[in-house]
Amino acid sequence: MGSEAQEPLKGEDWAGEMGERWLANLDRFEAMIAPIGEALLARAAYAPGERVVDIGPGGGATTRAIARLVGPDGEAVGVDIAPMLVAEAERRAKAEGVANASFVCADAATARPDGAPFDRLHSRFGSMFFEDPHGAFANLRAMLQPKGRVDLAVWGPPRDNAWMMEMMGVVRAHVEVPPAEPRAPGPFAFEDLGYLAEVLDSGGFGMMDVEAYEGLQAIGGAGTSPEEAVRFVLSSLGVGRVLAEQPEAIRAAASADMLALFERHYQPDKGVMLGCKVWLVSAIA
Protein backbone atom coordinates (compact mmCIF):
# COMPACT_ATOMS: atom_id res chain seq x y z
CA MET A 1 0.00 0.00 0.00
CA GLY A 2 1.14 3.54 -0.66
CA SER A 3 0.78 4.80 2.90
CA GLU A 4 0.12 3.80 6.48
CA ALA A 5 -3.02 5.96 6.67
CA GLN A 6 -5.41 3.02 6.72
CA GLU A 7 -4.53 1.37 10.03
CA PRO A 8 -6.71 3.24 12.53
CA LEU A 9 -9.72 2.96 10.25
CA LYS A 10 -9.79 -0.77 9.59
CA GLY A 11 -11.64 -3.45 11.49
CA GLU A 12 -14.76 -1.33 11.85
CA ASP A 13 -17.68 -2.74 13.87
CA TRP A 14 -20.36 -1.48 11.51
CA ALA A 15 -23.14 -3.37 13.29
CA GLY A 16 -22.10 -1.77 16.58
CA GLU A 17 -19.87 1.16 17.50
CA MET A 18 -19.09 2.42 14.00
CA GLY A 19 -22.72 2.20 12.95
CA GLU A 20 -23.69 4.26 15.99
CA ARG A 21 -21.01 6.85 15.18
CA TRP A 22 -22.19 7.07 11.58
CA LEU A 23 -25.82 7.47 12.69
CA ALA A 24 -24.93 10.21 15.17
CA ASN A 25 -23.16 12.16 12.41
CA LEU A 26 -25.27 10.98 9.48
CA ASP A 27 -26.08 14.32 7.91
CA ARG A 28 -22.45 15.51 8.03
CA PHE A 29 -21.19 12.23 6.55
CA GLU A 30 -23.77 12.43 3.77
CA ALA A 31 -22.99 16.07 3.02
CA MET A 32 -19.26 15.35 2.86
CA ILE A 33 -19.47 12.55 0.30
CA ALA A 34 -22.62 13.63 -1.57
CA PRO A 35 -20.71 15.05 -4.59
CA ILE A 36 -18.95 11.71 -5.04
CA GLY A 37 -22.26 9.89 -4.83
CA GLU A 38 -23.72 12.19 -7.46
CA ALA A 39 -20.79 11.48 -9.77
CA LEU A 40 -21.25 7.73 -9.31
CA LEU A 41 -24.98 7.97 -10.04
CA ALA A 42 -24.33 10.01 -13.18
CA ARG A 43 -21.84 7.42 -14.39
CA ALA A 44 -24.21 4.53 -13.60
CA ALA A 45 -27.06 6.18 -15.55
CA TYR A 46 -29.86 4.04 -14.11
CA ALA A 47 -32.88 3.62 -16.38
CA PRO A 48 -36.58 3.53 -15.50
CA GLY A 49 -37.74 0.06 -14.56
CA GLU A 50 -34.37 -1.29 -13.44
CA ARG A 51 -34.08 -3.27 -10.21
CA VAL A 52 -30.96 -2.31 -8.25
CA VAL A 53 -29.23 -3.58 -5.09
CA ASP A 54 -27.37 -0.86 -3.13
CA ILE A 55 -24.61 -2.27 -0.90
CA GLY A 56 -23.80 -0.46 2.35
CA PRO A 57 -26.06 2.59 1.88
CA GLY A 58 -25.85 3.75 5.49
CA GLY A 59 -28.72 6.17 5.98
CA GLY A 60 -30.11 5.25 2.59
CA ALA A 61 -29.52 8.46 0.61
CA THR A 62 -28.09 6.58 -2.37
CA THR A 63 -30.88 3.99 -2.29
CA ARG A 64 -33.54 6.72 -2.31
CA ALA A 65 -31.77 8.49 -5.19
CA ILE A 66 -31.63 5.28 -7.21
CA ALA A 67 -35.29 4.57 -6.46
CA ARG A 68 -36.24 7.96 -7.90
CA LEU A 69 -34.14 7.34 -11.00
CA VAL A 70 -35.63 3.92 -11.75
CA GLY A 71 -39.16 5.16 -11.11
CA PRO A 72 -42.26 3.37 -9.88
CA ASP A 73 -41.71 0.43 -12.25
CA GLY A 74 -38.22 -0.09 -10.82
CA GLU A 75 -36.91 -1.00 -7.39
CA ALA A 76 -33.96 -0.12 -5.14
CA VAL A 77 -33.01 -2.44 -2.27
CA GLY A 78 -30.42 -1.25 0.25
CA VAL A 79 -28.46 -3.95 2.09
CA ASP A 80 -26.56 -2.80 5.18
CA ILE A 81 -25.12 -4.68 8.16
CA ALA A 82 -25.89 -1.90 10.67
CA PRO A 83 -29.40 -2.28 12.18
CA MET A 84 -29.54 1.29 13.46
CA LEU A 85 -28.73 2.65 9.99
CA VAL A 86 -31.27 0.38 8.31
CA ALA A 87 -33.95 1.65 10.72
CA GLU A 88 -33.04 5.27 9.93
CA ALA A 89 -32.94 4.56 6.19
CA GLU A 90 -36.44 3.09 6.38
CA ARG A 91 -37.66 6.09 8.37
CA ARG A 92 -36.27 8.58 5.87
CA ALA A 93 -37.61 6.73 2.84
CA LYS A 94 -41.09 6.67 4.39
CA ALA A 95 -40.88 10.35 5.35
CA GLU A 96 -39.91 11.26 1.78
CA GLY A 97 -42.56 9.02 0.24
CA VAL A 98 -40.08 6.87 -1.71
CA ALA A 99 -42.24 3.76 -1.92
CA ASN A 100 -39.98 1.75 -4.25
CA ALA A 101 -36.98 1.86 -1.87
CA SER A 102 -36.63 -0.91 0.71
CA PHE A 103 -33.90 -1.97 3.11
CA VAL A 104 -32.53 -5.24 4.46
CA CYS A 105 -30.30 -5.63 7.51
CA ALA A 106 -27.80 -8.28 6.40
CA ASP A 107 -24.17 -8.92 5.54
CA ALA A 108 -23.92 -8.50 1.76
CA ALA A 109 -20.88 -10.80 1.78
CA THR A 110 -23.10 -13.81 2.40
CA ALA A 111 -26.77 -12.77 2.24
CA ARG A 112 -29.04 -12.86 -0.80
CA PRO A 113 -31.87 -10.31 -0.77
CA ASP A 114 -35.33 -11.46 -1.80
CA GLY A 115 -36.05 -10.83 -5.47
CA ALA A 116 -32.63 -11.84 -6.80
CA PRO A 117 -31.36 -11.80 -9.44
CA PHE A 118 -31.38 -8.02 -9.94
CA ASP A 119 -30.44 -5.90 -12.96
CA ARG A 120 -27.79 -3.71 -11.36
CA LEU A 121 -25.61 -3.42 -8.26
CA HIS A 122 -24.35 -0.18 -6.69
CA SER A 123 -22.07 0.72 -3.81
CA ARG A 124 -20.73 4.10 -2.72
CA PHE A 125 -17.89 3.25 -0.29
CA GLY A 126 -19.64 0.10 0.93
CA SER A 127 -17.50 -2.58 -0.72
CA MET A 128 -14.06 -2.12 0.88
CA PHE A 129 -14.71 -3.65 4.31
CA PHE A 130 -15.34 -7.31 3.44
CA GLU A 131 -13.15 -9.70 5.43
CA ASP A 132 -13.13 -12.08 2.45
CA PRO A 133 -13.52 -9.83 -0.61
CA HIS A 134 -13.14 -12.69 -3.11
CA GLY A 135 -15.99 -14.62 -1.53
CA ALA A 136 -18.05 -11.48 -1.02
CA PHE A 137 -17.87 -10.46 -4.67
CA ALA A 138 -18.80 -13.97 -5.74
CA ASN A 139 -21.90 -13.55 -3.59
CA LEU A 140 -22.60 -10.13 -5.09
CA ARG A 141 -22.29 -11.65 -8.56
CA ALA A 142 -24.95 -14.17 -7.63
CA MET A 143 -27.37 -11.30 -6.89
CA LEU A 144 -27.21 -10.15 -10.54
CA GLN A 145 -28.72 -11.20 -13.82
CA PRO A 146 -26.20 -12.38 -16.43
CA LYS A 147 -24.63 -9.27 -17.98
CA GLY A 148 -25.76 -7.21 -14.99
CA ARG A 149 -23.53 -4.26 -14.13
CA VAL A 150 -21.91 -3.26 -10.85
CA ASP A 151 -20.95 0.37 -10.15
CA LEU A 152 -18.61 1.13 -7.25
CA ALA A 153 -16.96 4.14 -5.66
CA VAL A 154 -13.78 3.29 -3.71
CA TRP A 155 -11.06 5.56 -2.35
CA GLY A 156 -7.90 5.98 -4.41
CA PRO A 157 -4.42 5.86 -2.85
CA PRO A 158 -4.04 7.62 0.53
CA ARG A 159 -1.24 9.79 -0.86
CA ASP A 160 -3.83 11.27 -3.26
CA ASN A 161 -6.36 11.84 -0.48
CA ALA A 162 -5.16 14.88 1.41
CA TRP A 163 -8.28 14.85 3.56
CA MET A 164 -6.97 11.66 5.16
CA MET A 165 -3.22 12.21 4.93
CA GLU A 166 -3.30 15.66 6.50
CA MET A 167 -5.39 14.47 9.44
CA MET A 168 -3.19 11.42 9.91
CA GLY A 169 -0.15 13.69 9.86
CA VAL A 170 -1.58 15.52 12.86
CA VAL A 171 -2.24 12.28 14.71
CA ARG A 172 1.21 10.87 13.94
CA ALA A 173 2.84 13.96 15.40
CA HIS A 174 1.42 12.93 18.77
CA VAL A 175 0.74 9.17 18.63
CA GLU A 176 2.67 6.22 17.23
CA VAL A 177 0.41 4.42 14.76
CA PRO A 178 1.33 0.91 13.55
CA PRO A 179 1.96 0.36 9.84
CA ALA A 180 -1.02 -0.68 7.77
CA GLU A 181 -1.49 -4.15 6.36
CA PRO A 182 -1.70 -3.94 2.56
CA ARG A 183 -5.12 -4.81 1.08
CA ALA A 184 -6.65 -5.22 4.54
CA PRO A 185 -10.35 -4.41 4.90
CA GLY A 186 -10.76 -0.66 5.28
CA PRO A 187 -11.28 2.55 3.33
CA PHE A 188 -8.20 2.02 1.14
CA ALA A 189 -8.55 -1.72 0.54
CA PHE A 190 -9.00 -1.14 -3.20
CA GLU A 191 -6.58 1.73 -3.78
CA ASP A 192 -4.61 -0.75 -5.95
CA LEU A 193 -6.71 -1.21 -9.07
CA GLY A 194 -4.79 -4.36 -9.98
CA TYR A 195 -5.99 -5.94 -6.74
CA LEU A 196 -9.56 -4.75 -7.33
CA ALA A 197 -9.46 -6.26 -10.83
CA GLU A 198 -8.30 -9.56 -9.32
CA VAL A 199 -11.15 -9.53 -6.78
CA LEU A 200 -13.75 -8.68 -9.42
CA ASP A 201 -12.43 -11.35 -11.77
CA SER A 202 -12.45 -14.02 -9.07
CA GLY A 203 -16.04 -13.09 -8.25
CA GLY A 204 -17.17 -13.54 -11.84
CA PHE A 205 -17.06 -9.93 -13.06
CA GLY A 206 -15.28 -8.73 -16.19
CA MET A 207 -14.83 -5.69 -18.42
CA MET A 208 -13.71 -3.48 -15.51
CA ASP A 209 -13.76 0.19 -16.43
CA VAL A 210 -12.39 2.98 -14.22
CA GLU A 211 -12.84 6.74 -14.08
CA ALA A 212 -10.90 8.86 -11.58
CA TYR A 213 -12.82 11.44 -9.56
CA GLU A 214 -10.64 14.18 -8.10
CA GLY A 215 -11.65 17.31 -6.26
CA LEU A 216 -11.88 19.07 -2.92
CA GLN A 217 -13.93 17.51 -0.16
CA ALA A 218 -15.68 19.54 2.54
CA ILE A 219 -14.84 17.98 5.90
CA GLY A 220 -18.16 17.57 7.69
CA GLY A 221 -20.03 18.95 4.69
CA ALA A 222 -20.28 22.29 2.94
CA GLY A 223 -20.32 25.31 5.24
CA THR A 224 -18.85 23.47 8.23
CA SER A 225 -16.56 25.72 10.29
CA PRO A 226 -13.06 24.61 11.35
CA GLU A 227 -14.25 24.17 14.94
CA GLU A 228 -17.25 22.09 13.87
CA ALA A 229 -15.05 20.04 11.54
CA VAL A 230 -12.70 19.17 14.41
CA ARG A 231 -15.64 18.02 16.55
CA PHE A 232 -16.97 15.94 13.65
CA VAL A 233 -13.61 14.25 12.99
CA LEU A 234 -12.90 13.49 16.64
CA SER A 235 -16.38 12.12 17.32
CA SER A 236 -16.87 10.05 14.18
CA LEU A 237 -13.73 9.12 12.22
CA GLY A 238 -11.07 6.53 13.00
CA VAL A 239 -8.45 9.18 13.75
CA GLY A 240 -10.71 10.39 16.56
CA ARG A 241 -10.87 6.88 17.98
CA VAL A 242 -7.07 6.74 18.07
CA LEU A 243 -6.87 10.03 19.96
CA ALA A 244 -9.68 9.05 22.34
CA GLU A 245 -7.37 6.40 23.80
CA GLN A 246 -4.69 8.96 24.66
CA PRO A 247 -4.17 11.11 27.79
CA GLU A 248 -5.98 14.44 27.93
CA ALA A 249 -2.82 16.47 27.22
CA ILE A 250 -2.20 14.61 23.96
CA ARG A 251 -5.84 14.90 22.92
CA ALA A 252 -5.80 18.63 23.58
CA ALA A 253 -2.55 19.21 21.67
CA ALA A 254 -3.69 17.12 18.70
CA SER A 255 -7.06 18.89 18.65
CA ALA A 256 -5.33 22.26 18.57
CA ASP A 257 -3.14 21.13 15.67
CA MET A 258 -6.18 19.75 13.85
CA LEU A 259 -7.94 23.09 14.27
CA ALA A 260 -4.91 24.93 12.89
CA LEU A 261 -4.85 22.56 9.89
CA PHE A 262 -8.52 23.12 9.18
CA GLU A 263 -8.22 26.88 9.55
CA ARG A 264 -5.53 26.86 6.84
CA HIS A 265 -7.89 25.03 4.47
CA TYR A 266 -11.08 26.89 5.36
CA GLN A 267 -12.96 28.74 2.63
CA PRO A 268 -15.74 30.89 4.13
CA ASP A 269 -18.16 30.17 1.29
CA LYS A 270 -17.46 26.42 1.16
CA GLY A 271 -16.01 24.99 4.37
CA VAL A 272 -12.84 23.06 5.21
CA MET A 273 -11.71 21.89 1.78
CA LEU A 274 -9.14 19.11 1.36
CA GLY A 275 -8.27 17.08 -1.72
CA CYS A 276 -9.66 13.63 -2.47
CA LYS A 277 -9.30 10.99 -5.17
CA VAL A 278 -11.83 8.25 -5.81
CA TRP A 279 -12.03 5.40 -8.30
CA LEU A 280 -15.43 5.13 -9.99
CA VAL A 281 -15.48 1.54 -11.18
CA SER A 282 -17.89 -0.49 -13.28
CA ALA A 283 -17.82 -4.15 -14.28
CA ILE A 284 -20.12 -6.67 -15.92
CA ALA A 285 -21.33 -9.94 -14.44
Side-chain angles (χ1 to χ4, degrees):
M1 199 170 101
S3 164
E4 295 79 30
Q6 178 186 333
E7 181 62 20
L9 293 174
K10 73 175 189 175
E12 311 286 22
D13 176 19
W14 285 102
E17 178 191 5
M18 195 59 200
E20 294 289 356
R21 286 172 175 264
W22 191 275
L23 179 61
N25 295 276
L26 181 58
D27 291 333
R28 289 203 182 279
F29 273 124
E30 286 292 352
M32 185 167 73
I33 60 178
I36 299 166
E38 291 166 5
L40 181 64
L41 288 173
R43 177 179 164 85
Y46 294 110
E50 288 188 312
R51 301 174 63 245
V52 184
V53 179
D54 189 16
I55 302 300
T62 49
T63 313
R64 298 193 302 276
I66 294 168
R68 293 187 176 100
L69 291 168
V70 300
D73 293 332
E75 178 186 12
V77 180
V79 180
D80 202 290
I81 200 171
M84 71 292 290
L85 291 175
V86 169
E88 179 63 12
E90 291 175 334
R91 187 192 70 78
R92 293 189 178 206
K94 183 177 180 179
E96 295 178 17
V98 186
N100 61 329
S102 62
F103 299 90
V104 178
C105 185
D107 184 352
T110 55
R112 194 77 46 80
D114 291 342
F118 291 81
D119 302 312
R120 306 282 298 274
L121 193 147
H122 176 278
S123 186
R124 180 196 63 179
F125 299 133
S127 65
M128 305 97 69
F129 300 91
F130 295 126
E131 290 295 329
D132 172 18
H134 294 83
F137 272 86
N139 189 61
L140 297 181
R141 165 65 183 85
M143 296 181 191
L144 285 176
Q145 300 270 12
K147 307 300 181 184
R149 172 170 156 173
V150 58
D151 283 271
L152 309 172
V154 299
W155 293 111
R159 63 181 175 275
D160 297 326
N161 278 281
W163 72 275
M164 174 59 68
M165 293 298 289
E166 295 281 358
M167 288 191 293
M168 280 303 305
V170 169
V171 173
R172 289 180 182 282
H174 299 275
V175 181
E176 183 176 350
V177 181
E181 179 185 345
R183 301 181 177 182
F188 298 101
F190 294 139
E191 58 153 315
D192 178 352
L193 289 173
Y195 174 54
L196 178 55
E198 172 197 319
V199 169
L200 286 168
D201 181 69
S202 73
F205 292 93
M207 300 176 63
M208 185 177 90
D209 185 70
V210 181
E211 176 184 342
Y213 172 100
E214 295 184 78
L216 294 176
Q217 179 164 259
I219 305 301
T224 300
S225 71
E227 293 81 5
E228 290 170 331
V230 170
R231 286 194 290 272
F232 165 71
V233 167
L234 296 184
S235 67
S236 61
L237 297 186
V239 291
R241 288 164 53 195
V242 172
L243 290 175
E245 301 170 355
Q246 305 304 314
E248 171 59 29
I250 291 179
R251 294 201 304 271
S255 297
D257 287 351
M258 192 80 71
L259 178 60
L261 167 68
F262 288 170
E263 287 174 340
R264 291 196 299 273
H265 292 277
Y266 179 64
Q267 299 180 29
D269 58 333
K270 295 181 179 179
V272 179
M273 307 299 290
L274 286 163
C276 69
K277 184 171 186 176
V278 176
W279 302 129
L280 304 180
V281 181
S282 62
I284 305 299

